[in-house]
Amino acid sequence: MKYLFIISFLFTACYSITAQNAVFKTNIQLMELEELKAEIFESEKEYKIAFIFDQFCLASRDIFPDLDKLYKNSTQKNFDLFVVTNNKEKKQQDLEDHLFYYGYEEPFYIIKDKPLLGFFKKTILNICDSCDYKEMGYSDFIVFNENNEVLVQTNYNQTKEEHISILKKYMQ
């Protein structure tokens, strides 16, 4: 009887964990920069938002809950969101844990090809050759229209409130 109880308890605990994990699933994809650019430019949505994220950057962590709220509360879904990060593949589990802890479901793209120097510059120029990468930092974003033309490029001189105000315009 004691063994039956233990087995029953373990089965219930495992089922509960599986059920919880089934409800929340992170959306992380590893891809090359060229693949990311193709993914963004192939989207047929009215707006495409590329957000540069670093889980250890204070500005990224500060703005992300607001971005998440806009993403989840969007009613029209007339945009695609591409959260781009340079996390190392071996740190992917840390990112998944971070996303799970905060309940983030946004699509995340970890870039596979990482130069020793200049990841940020290479990433920005790959997806937006007309953008001024020197003006941007982690927590900045680029908004493209359906024709892949740049509508907005934020910069590090703008406040969090200015970023959110711009995002609200496109994440309806």
Side-chain angles (χ1 to χ4, degrees), residues 151-169:
L151 297 175
V152 175
Q153 169 200 333
T154 62
N155 64 67
Y156 56 77
N157 291 318
Q158 294 170 308
T159 65
K160 172 185 168 184
E161 289 74 25
E162 289 173 307
H163 280 154
I164 298 303
S165 175
I166 293 167
L167 285 170
K168 281 181 181 177
K169 181 177 175 181

Side-chain angles (χ1 to χ4, degrees), residues 70-124:
L70 289 171
Y71 181 78
K72 288 179 178 167
N73 292 334
S74 170
T75 55
Q76 292 184 13
K77 301 290 185 202
N78 61 338
F79 66 93
D80 273 333
L81 178 64
F82 301 87
V83 182
V84 182
T85 185
N86 69 341
N87 275 34
K88 296 187 178 1
E89 290 175 49
K90 62 184 178 183
K91 300 267 185 179
Q92 183 174 343
Q93 186 59 50
D94 291 343
L95 179 60
E96 286 182 14
D97 293 345
H98 177 80
L99 299 176
F100 179 81
Y101 180 78
Y102 289 102
Y104 298 143
E105 298 173 348
E106 291 80 351
F108 272 75
Y109 298 86
I110 297 177
I111 304 303
K112 285 183 189 178
D113 47 347
K114 296 181 187 34
L116 293 175
L117 299 171
F119 163 81
F120 192 81
K121 174 183 174 182
K122 185 176 180 183
T123 302
I124 297 300

Side-chain angles (χ1 to χ4, degrees), residues 57-73:
C57 170
L58 184 59
S60 284
R61 289 195 327 249
D62 187 38
I63 197 172
F64 204 79
D66 295 313
L67 177 71
D68 177 59
K69 186 176 180 181
L70 289 171
Y71 181 78
K72 288 179 178 167
N73 292 334

